[in-house]
Amino acid sequence: MTTLFVRHAVSDYKAWRKVYDAFAPVQKASGVKAESVYQAADDPNDVTVTHDFANAADARAFIENPKLKEAMASAGVVGAPTMWITNKA
């Protein structure tokens, strides 16, 4: 199992969440097996998202999908996100 972690600041969590939820069909078509959303305890606009994939290649392809960048921009992501891919040990 491969997990992609994405951490970013958003301008408004509720507005971001609407776009994130609407993006679910693209996630599924891109091989996302499961996902989770977390907010920092002291800042609800500091968001970390996890996406599980079958392999790292699928995770990399998802990161490079232009639709993902468009969704992030329209959702109010502030600055560049931090992304990293992990494999379960």
Side-chain angles (χ1 to χ4, degrees):
M1 179 69 61
T2 297
T3 301
L4 166 65
F5 288 82
V6 180
R7 182 176 182 195
H8 47 58
V10 298
S11 55
D12 176 345
Y13 175 79
K14 288 182 182 180
W16 173 87
R17 187 64 192 234
K18 287 180 184 177
V19 175
Y20 179 83
D21 290 344
F23 199 66
V26 177
Q27 292 176 356
K28 186 172 182 171
S30 299
V32 174
K33 306 291 184 194
E35 53 80 29
S36 296
V37 176
Y38 302 88
Q39 293 173 284
D42 60 349
D43 181 358
N45 291 322
D46 180 352
V47 179
T48 300
V49 180
T50 65
H51 294 95
D52 292 338
F53 294 88
N55 56 60
D58 288 349
R60 282 189 203 92
F62 181 71
I63 288 172
E64 295 169 3
N65 185 336
K67 291 180 182 179
L68 176 62
K69 292 178 184 176
E70 291 170 12
M72 288 180 147
S74 69
V77 171
V78 178
T82 301
M83 299 184 189
W84 63 102
I85 297 171
T86 64
N87 289 314
K88 189 167 184 170

